Amino acid sequence: MKNKFTSLIFILSLLVFNTACSLDEDPISEFSEVVLGSTDDSGDRIRYKNRSEALTAYEGLYNTLKDRQEHWYLDYLLLSEVRSDNAYAGTTGSEVVPVENNSLDGGNSVINRDWNNYLADIAKANVLINNLDSVSDASLSATERRQWKAEAKIFRAMILLDMVRFWGNIPVITQEAGDITAENIEEVYPSYFPNQKSAEDAYAQIIHDLTTAIPYAPTNNASNKTKLSKSVARALLSKVYAEKTVQDLDKVIAYADSVVADGFSLVDDLSMLFGMNEESTDVKARNTSESILEIQYFTGGGNWVTWMFGRDLLNYDTQFEWAKWITPSRDLIAAYDAEGDAIRKNQAIVYYQTTWANYYPSDNYAFMYKLRSANSSIIKLRLADILLLKAEALVKKGGSANLGAAADIVDQIRQRAQLDGLEASVKASPEQMLDAVLNERRLELAFEGQRLFDLIRNNKLQEVMNSLNQRDSGRIPQIRAYNDFSELLPIPQTVLDNNPNLVQNPGY
């Protein structure tokens, strides 16, 4: 046991060292579970001595969502949009080119940091969930305890959903890892090096977290869409039940309807979601009727990740001397043009002159345009996504009434883009209606991280991606063809080396 203890301490030391080497632009919240808390007379840890410390942890969870967007937004878009037909990687860096040409392996640095950062986020949620009830301070009310725990569960479920869709079988960790001593190492060891759970088990935990959070989470606040509310949980459940592993079409529809019942509606003008004000000094709007969850940024505490996608319209030339990620593909541009969809194209794509020409001529270079400044919100969930998921579920249920209801949703979305409704022949065909819904989701939700999962969920990834080089002259040639294994990412090799209980995904 002594050798095992020594090895564990060495490995944990390496993990701490690696975590400390994060990018400067990826700041950690001031809350630290390492320094917060104390021990009682028996030596047991007291995580939060009072309400103030618990509040710091609760606020720290939201700070994590706001400040650590490197993995859950920047890399998320790289791994979801570039592994689809929507985008090129954008640079020649060794960490991003394999995403575009389908040559990823367990040594990729992006995947490594994302796995570790996702698990670090879950660990923060676990600390809050598992310790709120033990706070002895009477000023922390029972209502606050239940609400904060519910919000932490929604946070954990949201992270687990990203992980299970990227990796499939993942560790499902819901308990806080205990302090290690020579006496308890056999008991504590599995907490630090857990086994994988099946995707079914991961989804079961996600569903449990979300459904048990709904009664106690805050209700939707029309003037503050930054909270992990009941509506966020319901929107996530609609997305969860659309996935193949746990697909339940009736629940997709029911939870989508419950989101609408919570008071959400489409904005009339799509620029309200992504545009700048007339003076170009701030965003056009926050907390719109369509936004379900958004992470907001303001002057003095801006969103640094905008530098990775294009120009910061508040500081036009800053950080614009190097190539950017998530470059719009010619195939996506052609899809907009085929529909005559100028409104959504202009909200999603912009052209600038550059000093590089990786994918387009430098005098007319295409950029993702849905994050335009350091003050732009990241809209994690919005109603159009949920409505189109409902339309997809209705098509899959079949029957003329369901096809008609699905077509009504699609036509509603198209009307905002000033496009004609679907043709009668399309509305009468289940196959054509499914293609129409997926095309509408592509045009409406480009660069919002949905396209890859739409293709996977509908068994279209290989069909679309293995013919893409023939349709898109600007895309880097594929190294490997897409197959059944391509739906999942490889587990990072360093993680496998550190945790002998994990098994690499097939195909890597």
Side-chain angles (χ1 to χ4, degrees):
M1 187 173 72
K2 181 178 180 181
N3 289 338
K4 188 175 185 181
F5 177 73
T6 302
S7 298
L8 178 58
I9 295 301
F10 174 72
I11 291 171
L12 290 175
S13 298
L14 289 178
L15 291 175
V16 170
F17 174 79
N18 288 335
T19 302
C21 296
S22 182
L23 291 177
D24 292 339
E25 292 89 349
D26 189 16
I28 304 299
S29 164
E30 291 181 0
F31 161 64
S32 170
E33 63 272 16
V34 176
V35 299
L36 192 60
S38 60
T39 57
D40 60 19
D41 294 339
S42 64
D44 293 332
R45 174 176 289 179
I46 302 172
R47 182 61 76 175
Y48 313 127
K49 297 192 296 290
N50 51 46
R51 182 185 181 279
S52 178
E53 288 191 351
L55 177 62
T56 300
Y58 166 74
E59 292 174 342
L61 206 62
Y62 279 99
N63 288 338
T64 295
L65 187 60
K66 181 176 181 179
D67 296 337
R68 284 164 54 80
Q69 69 269 52
E70 180 184 44
H71 59 289
W72 71 261
Y73 184 63
L74 171 62
D75 292 351
Y76 174 87
L77 291 188
L78 175 72
L79 296 171
S80 57
E81 297 290 337
V82 176
R83 289 170 65 218
S84 80
D85 47 357
N86 276 359
Y88 312 130
T91 76
T92 58
S94 60
E95 76 275 24
V96 300
V97 168
V99 182
E100 182 176 342
N101 67 16
N102 198 33
S103 63
L104 284 167
D105 58 38
N108 185 272
S109 61
V110 170
I111 293 174
N112 182 71
R113 76 179 175 212
D114 292 348
W115 175 281
N116 290 326
N117 285 340
Y118 275 133
L119 289 182
D121 291 348
I122 290 171
K124 286 191 175 185
N126 290 342
V127 171
L128 193 63
I129 292 166
N130 293 315
N131 288 280
L132 276 172
D133 290 340
S134 63
V135 180
S136 59
D137 187 347
S139 68
L140 179 60
S141 69
T143 299
E144 285 179 320
R145 293 172 200 261
R146 289 192 295 265
Q147 179 180 318
W148 296 359
K149 188 184 295 187
E151 290 168 86
K153 285 184 176 181
I154 296 170
F155 179 92
R156 182 170 69 187
M158 189 164 57
I159 301 303
L160 282 172
L161 179 58
D162 283 355
M163 288 195 74
V164 72
R165 293 201 295 181
F166 276 140
W167 286 287
N169 298 346
I170 57 172
V172 179
I173 306 169
T174 59
Q175 297 300 314
E176 180 184 2
D179 293 335
I180 298 174
T181 67
E183 288 72 29
N184 73 0
I185 186 171
E186 296 290 346
E187 177 183 351
V188 174
Y189 186 90
S191 299
Y192 286 90
F193 298 96
N195 292 308
Q196 288 158 294
K197 297 291 187 179
S198 67
E200 290 82 359
D201 288 338
Y203 278 110
Q205 182 62 51
I206 293 167
I207 292 167
H208 179 267
D209 277 348
L210 294 172
T211 54
T212 58
I214 287 174
Y216 305 112
T219 57
N220 172 50
N221 182 344
S223 63
N224 183 4
K225 300 298 184 67
T226 67
K227 290 297 183 180
L228 295 162
S229 65
K230 299 178 191 293
S231 303
V232 170
R234 289 169 179 144
L236 288 171
L237 281 164
S238 186
K239 295 177 77 68
V240 165
Y241 280 117
E243 294 298 317
K244 289 187 292 185
T245 305
V246 291
Q247 189 173 89
D248 187 323
L249 301 177
D250 289 330
K251 288 183 178 178
V252 174
I253 295 166
Y255 278 113
D257 288 343
S258 71
V259 171
V260 175
D262 284 343
F264 295 90
S265 61
L266 297 176
V267 296
D268 293 332
D269 179 0
L270 200 61
S271 71
M272 296 293 290
L273 298 174
F274 307 108
M276 303 291 290
N277 62 16
E278 291 184 4
E279 298 80 14
S280 295
T281 58
D282 201 357
V283 296
K284 194 169 187 177
R286 296 182 178 90
N287 303 310
T288 69
S289 63
E290 185 167 339
S291 178
I292 301 170
L293 176 65
E294 64 184 67
I295 295 81
Q296 297 175 356
Y297 301 87
F298 302 89
T299 302
N303 187 357
W304 67 266
V305 80
T306 186
W307 302 339
M308 296 297 295
F309 301 132
R311 288 190 184 276
D312 177 357
L313 296 186
L314 297 178
N315 197 350
Y316 199 71
D317 291 322
T318 187
Q319 303 290 337
F320 199 69
E321 65 273 11
W322 36 272
K324 307 300 181 178
W325 287 17
I326 325 297
T327 298
S329 71
R330 288 168 176 80
D331 194 67
L332 176 63
I333 294 169
Y336 280 119
D337 292 343
E339 289 285 348
D341 192 351
I343 289 178
R344 287 187 294 196
K345 178 183 177 181
N346 291 337
Q347 290 300 316
I349 299 168
V350 67
Y351 293 85
Y352 297 125
Q353 184 170 345
T354 68
T355 58
W356 64 90
N358 294 343
Y359 292 91
Y360 293 98
S362 61
D363 60 350
N364 195 37
Y365 206 94
F367 291 86
M368 163 189 157
Y369 200 41
K370 285 190 171 177
L371 195 75
R372 302 179 189 179
S373 79
N375 283 10
S376 292
S377 297
I378 296 174
I379 300 177
K380 182 68 173 174
L381 293 166
R382 66 180 175 103
L383 183 62
D385 177 14
I386 305 304
L387 290 178
L388 287 170
L389 277 179
K390 177 184 175 180
E392 181 182 321
L394 287 166
V395 171
K396 290 177 178 177
K397 280 177 66 68
S400 58
N402 286 330
L403 289 179
D408 288 343
I409 293 172
V410 173
D411 285 351
Q412 179 187 11
I413 302 291
R414 291 176 64 84
Q415 183 178 17
R416 177 169 65 179
Q418 298 181 19
L419 298 176
D420 293 336
L422 299 175
E423 295 181 0
S425 59
V426 173
K427 295 180 180 181
S429 166
E431 294 79 13
Q432 292 184 59
M433 269 302 302
L434 182 58
D435 287 341
V437 170
L438 294 180
N439 184 60
E440 208 62 36
R441 286 184 60 80
R442 185 186 189 190
L443 301 178
E444 177 70 24
L445 303 170
F447 312 128
E448 297 181 46
Q450 307 304 321
R451 179 61 172 171
L452 171 70
F453 304 118
D454 289 351
L455 295 176
I456 291 173
R457 186 174 62 251
N458 290 282
N459 301 312
K460 292 181 177 292
L461 182 66
Q462 295 176 51
E463 171 191 335
V464 168
M465 297 306 291
N466 286 335
S467 60
L468 187 54
N469 278 140
Q470 286 70 52
R471 299 194 310 276
D472 191 331
S473 61
R475 191 173 181 90
I476 298 173
Q478 289 180 11
I479 299 297
R480 295 193 297 257
Y482 280 76
N483 56 33
D484 291 343
F485 302 138
S486 303
E487 294 183 359
L488 300 177
L489 296 173
I491 295 173
Q493 188 60 49
T494 57
V495 173
L496 295 172
D497 293 341
N498 289 335
N499 185 354
N501 293 316
L502 299 180
V503 177
Q504 181 60 277
N505 280 328
Y508 295 102

